Amino acid sequence: MDYTLNCNGRLLSLEVPQVMGILNVTPDSFYADSRQQTEAGIAARTRQLVAEGSTIIDVGACSTRPGSTPATEQEEMERLRRALPIVRREAPGAVVSIDTFRPSVARMAVEEYGADIINDVEGRPDMFRMVSRLRVPYIYMSRKSTVRDVMLDCAEAVDTLRSMGQRDIVIDPGFGFGKTVDDNYRLIHQLERLQALRLPVLVGVSRKSMLWRQLECTPQEALNGTTVLHTLALMKGASILRVHDVREAVECVKIVQKACQS
């Protein structure tokens, strides 16, 4: 479906699935190649994401990997205040998403740096109120373990957000959050059912443990498995792929689009 997101006055079409490239300005995110903390590293990673075809850059300053100790609110803000001017300088045309579960961080990023999207893994009422006030697209992630419960959870969240005046909403079924490996694969198998919500779906499976545990390898060796799941997700209606490896994901989108049009 031809969804669009209003990103600070720019309409981002999702008629062709978009690739969201990950930029972690943290010392402890699970995939080392996505971590950058120096000005040179952040600038180089930003240029790489854009050069390889990412239209959205998802900047994270607080790791949410299992077992991690979250950065403090002050640490998260300081990291973003260091990174966002660099991202804006190096990629002035990119849509910038902020990966945060803290309303105060979301407000700072939008009001001080013009962030375009808030990508939230918690989905608490205080964040709902904040994004509705900020009027930016919001990615809601479900931690439920079955497709039925994900749909019910997302439907309830969307109703609440709509009642607050929130317009642009993206659904993330939350691969790897609150789910076993088997739960994740059942969810990808039934992913097309989320289309009943009539909202764009973001899929974030890049190099996650559901892949490397199944393949008995490491995250560094899980690129091929990631591409397989990206292909399945696209064929089942995903509108956004959140990825570490942009070039490969962009190629996947092109091939699936061609195959489905032929």
Side-chain angles (χ1 to χ4, degrees), residues 208-262:
K208 286 188 174 179
S209 62
M210 64 180 290
L211 287 158
W212 51 263
R213 291 186 190 281
Q214 182 69 20
L215 297 174
E216 299 181 349
C217 65
T218 66
Q220 287 70 26
E221 298 169 316
L223 175 56
N224 188 55
T226 297
T227 302
V228 172
L229 288 193
H230 282 165
T231 303
L232 286 171
L234 291 168
M235 295 183 73
K236 290 174 177 286
S239 294
I240 302 173
L241 300 178
R242 182 179 182 273
V243 309
H244 298 96
D245 309 279
V246 170
R247 176 175 288 116
E248 292 81 358
V250 168
E251 290 176 353
C252 187
V253 170
K254 289 180 178 177
I255 295 298
V256 171
Q257 285 280 293
K258 181 64 174 176
C260 291
Q261 292 169 358
S262 299

Side-chain angles (χ1 to χ4, degrees), residues 24-31 35 60-71 76 79 99 101-102 121 177:
N24 286 317
V25 290
T26 59
D28 56 348
S29 296
F30 81 91
Y31 183 57
R35 302 179 208 150
C62 177
S63 177
T64 54
R65 67 178 175 82
S68 66
T69 300
E76 187 178 7
R79 291 169 181 173
D99 182 1
F101 57 87
R102 293 181 169 120
V121 299
F177 289 84

Side-chain angles (χ1 to χ4, degrees), residues 35-208:
R35 302 179 208 150
Q36 299 295 339
Q37 292 187 280
T38 67
E39 179 174 351
I42 293 167
R45 176 66 175 168
T46 301
R47 290 192 299 269
Q48 177 192 18
L49 294 174
V50 173
E52 293 185 358
S54 176
T55 50
I56 310 169
I57 299 176
D58 192 45
V59 185
C62 177
S63 177
T64 54
R65 67 178 175 82
S68 66
T69 300
T72 66
E73 184 175 304
Q74 182 178 355
E75 287 172 332
E76 187 178 7
M77 284 189 175
E78 288 175 354
R79 291 169 181 173
L80 287 172
R81 286 192 168 111
R82 183 171 64 251
L84 289 176
I86 302 169
V87 174
R88 285 302 194 193
R89 183 190 73 211
E90 299 295 332
V95 171
V96 176
S97 167
I98 305 300
D99 182 1
T100 186
F101 57 87
R102 293 181 169 120
S104 59
V105 175
R107 183 183 63 216
M108 179 274 293
V110 173
E111 293 182 349
E112 295 182 23
Y113 298 98
D116 301 290
I117 297 172
I118 298 302
N119 180 15
D120 177 21
V121 299
E122 293 286 347
R124 295 195 294 258
D126 54 351
M127 182 64 94
F128 287 6
R129 290 190 291 270
M130 179 58 69
V131 293
S132 299
R133 195 188 94 189
L134 293 170
R135 292 292 190 266
V136 294
Y138 175 62
I139 301 170
Y140 174 78
M141 192 196 79
S142 177
R143 292 174 177 260
K144 301 298 183 181
S145 60
T146 69
V147 70
R148 176 184 178 276
D149 288 345
V150 167
M151 292 179 70
L152 290 172
D153 178 48
C154 289
E156 181 179 357
V158 169
D159 283 347
T160 301
L161 287 159
R162 294 287 194 223
S163 72
M164 296 177 175
Q166 179 65 20
R167 295 184 178 178
D168 290 341
I169 304 169
V170 178
I171 297 302
D172 177 357
F175 290 99
F177 289 84
K179 300 167 182 68
T180 66
V181 170
D182 287 343
D183 289 337
N184 285 314
Y185 281 98
R186 280 190 287 267
L187 184 55
I188 198 82
H189 178 64
Q190 302 177 76
L191 192 68
E192 70 278 2
R193 291 179 58 187
L194 298 187
Q195 297 302 306
L197 296 170
R198 301 187 67 81
L199 290 170
V201 173
L202 178 147
V203 168
V205 294
S206 181
R207 298 182 182 268
K208 286 188 174 179

